[in-house]
Amino acid sequence: SWSLELAGQHGLLTDVALNSEGTMAATTGDFDGKICLWRLEPIAEPKPEGPTVQVRLHNMLLGHERSVRAVTFSPDGKWLASTSMDYTARLWEVASGKLVRQWPGLEWGSGVAFSPSGKQLAVSSSKGLRVYDLLQKTQEVGQLVRRYASVSWSPQGDRLLTASEVDGKVVVWTINPLKVEAELDPDWVEGEPRTLSGAAWSPDGKWFATVGYDGRLRLWDAETRKVAHRFEKIPALIFDVVWSSDSRQVMAAGASPHVLTAWDIAEKRRLPLPEMPGQSTAVVRHDGRGWLATGNHQMLQISSAADGKLLGESRQTTYSDPAWLSPDGKHVATRVSGLLTIRHVETGEPVLNIPDVGYGNAHWSPDSRRIVYANPYETPKLLVLTLSDGRSQVASRRDLTAE
């Protein structure tokens, strides 16, 4: 089943992901089941003091019936994995937006991560930890049933790291078979919350970092499995943690108040970050591009990792976007943030996505074979789309403004 809710893009953003090339981002929301895919493109001739990165809505993946809590791209960028409060994890094909596979019975999903090889998928939820072999189509279930807030692979792909929301324990797992190798207790401070919200293995494999509602970052020695350093408390609930590619910095996003914080691991100090734009509820970095992708309430923002300068952001839609149902009831056309999409009514799968159509109106022909889209405003455009018989695919596209 699928639902169609087009009032804006998301509620509060719950997660942000970037593909390995830094050309596409994915965002998830707290109040809906939508996943938005965004195309990120450098602007060839940016205006002075203007944005340098264009953030365009590329596709919307529909199917989750409740809030999507986590999303991640596969290492090769071909697949997207998501987990949701609808008790499922799902695998999507990025190019087509099609749902490829789904796994039920997870209760509240909270974390999802591809192995470095891309052949396995780890999912954490309120029912514990599961690892899916994407080639053999098998799964393993961890014997410790806890509510895990996040999951992270070691760089070698032979171990997993989870952080528990309930009892505040860090668990290290071996792979093939999936077994507990160590249960670790952070050095909690008396009177502070004992809830973990995130854990991440460093790219060089020497460390892992944990964060929680106590507002502290803890650096662990991956070999001794002991806390090497407990950083000074910040006045925030920390939700998300990410490493730089050289394993020299850790960055975290938090709320109440919304903050974005970074620490230098070698010097064991908090970095004097400039004030970041917006309210950061999730963060991911792409060191190849020198970018940070952060969730700012309902918007995706791309900023410089060096100085925090805002480079580009998604449009915020604050009103309901329309939908046009074909007379035969087989297709529906929608427009969200300038992206025109035609979908199968029965499955919700997209037939065609056309970005940057602007804010216009659409009309179907009486036989449901053609749809005309007209935008007389900021980017004047008149499109005529013809659907082929039987296959429900767009056979032709005619842009009259180009003639």
Side-chain angles (χ1 to χ4, degrees), residues 102-118:
Q102 70 176 20
W103 300 274
L106 294 175
E107 292 199 5
W108 284 16
S110 53
V112 60
F114 282 97
S115 64
S117 67

Side-chain angles (χ1 to χ4, degrees), residues 72-92:
T72 187
F73 286 95
S74 62
D76 61 9
K78 294 181 179 180
W79 313 100
L80 188 83
S82 59
T83 185
S84 166
M85 291 174 65
D86 65 4
Y87 296 5
T88 70
R90 306 194 182 207
L91 184 68
W92 311 80

